[in-house]
Amino acid sequence: MSREFVEFFASFRLTPAQRRISQTLVEHSNDVPSLTASEVAELANVSQPSVTRLAVAVGYSGYAELRHALVQLLNASPSGSELDEPNEFQRAINSEIENLRALGVRLSDRTRIRQAGALIVGAPVVVALGHRSAAHIAGYFGHFASRVHGDVRVLTCAGSELAESLAAARSVGAGVLVAFLHAPYPADTIDALEFAQQLGFRLVLISDSDVVSGSDWAEVLLRADISSRLIFDTHAATFTAASLLVQAICDEDPVGVQRRLEEQERSLRGRRV
């Protein structure tokens, strides 16, 4: 299997169906010179037009042109460039390991994440925001943050309900919005960020890019890359960033956090949970 094929397809934002076809081409990279579009479609269990759509998505007029480009990649590949990982699961894990390493490098200077912790501790009410796959990350952050902060509200709704919830939170003292935003950048999150700016929220933004909606006014931007090596994205670095943000809250207010945790433990013992 060709490493160049993996790197080539990873440079594009593909749909789940297109990723399945690209994985098929990676797995059969040595056979690509002789594979027809119909044979690729059969191997990937998709329609032949889906193969054509993949070719167009990566900048070619059709499969024949894409195949020619892939053959050139094969011919130009240095010896020993085959993948060390024998399957897509290991490739996905290694991709996430690299994302975690990159996150660690960015946090070698802890100024930004400490600033985020201070902002959250200083706000009487905190809102966590996320949509689509980021909704689960916002919920994960909200679950643990609510154990060390007095009032954390998770918003994953949309439309007028979201606008009303943001306004209601702001009216009772919510000053900080912790937003999770990554590709494909849901319109609901983008609209919410614009409205939150109008309401006067201070923004802590966790995203897979340094240049996204909200990055121009975020007081703290933490970048956590996602991996697209599987049919659907994986978010190990983003979940880790959410946990690190909770840790930053704990570090900023150790006495208050300890008191809350002890109160929770006494409550749990009293209820025999």
Side-chain angles (χ1 to χ4, degrees), residues 49-63:
S50 295
V51 177
T52 302
R53 285 193 288 271
L54 168 65
V56 172
V58 298
Y60 298 97
S61 61
Y63 172 72

Side-chain angles (χ1 to χ4, degrees), residues 45-187:
N45 291 311
V46 299
S47 65
Q48 187 169 331
S50 295
V51 177
T52 302
R53 285 193 288 271
L54 168 65
V56 172
V58 298
Y60 298 97
S61 61
Y63 172 72
E65 191 174 324
L66 170 61
R67 181 178 62 183
H68 178 71
L70 294 177
V71 169
Q72 288 184 317
L73 275 179
L74 277 178
N75 293 337
S77 300
S79 59
S81 66
E82 287 75 17
L83 289 166
D84 297 327
E85 311 97 326
N87 61 58
E88 69 275 21
F89 304 109
Q90 290 177 306
R91 292 196 293 274
I93 290 170
N94 286 342
S95 174
E96 286 290 21
I97 289 171
E98 290 304 312
N99 289 342
L100 288 167
R101 284 179 177 149
L103 177 63
V105 170
R106 295 186 192 104
L107 291 177
S108 58
D109 179 356
R110 294 177 288 178
T111 303
R112 283 180 298 168
I113 197 163
R114 284 175 168 170
Q115 182 185 357
L119 284 173
I120 294 169
V121 168
V125 182
V126 175
V127 175
L129 173 73
H131 293 96
R132 297 179 67 170
S133 57
H136 303 287
I137 307 174
Y140 174 86
F141 168 78
H143 171 78
F144 290 105
S146 65
R147 297 193 59 186
V148 297
H149 187 283
D151 194 341
V152 179
R153 307 182 181 191
V154 178
L155 296 183
T156 59
C157 52
S160 59
E161 181 183 357
L162 175 57
E164 291 168 2
S165 298
L166 280 171
R170 188 75 179 101
S171 69
V172 295
V176 173
L177 175 66
V178 180
F180 296 87
L181 176 63
H182 53 242
Y185 311 113

Side-chain angles (χ1 to χ4, degrees), residues 18 39 92 104 128 149 151 183 200 223 251:
Q18 290 166 351
E39 289 171 335
H149 187 283
D151 194 341
R223 178 172 168 179
D251 292 345

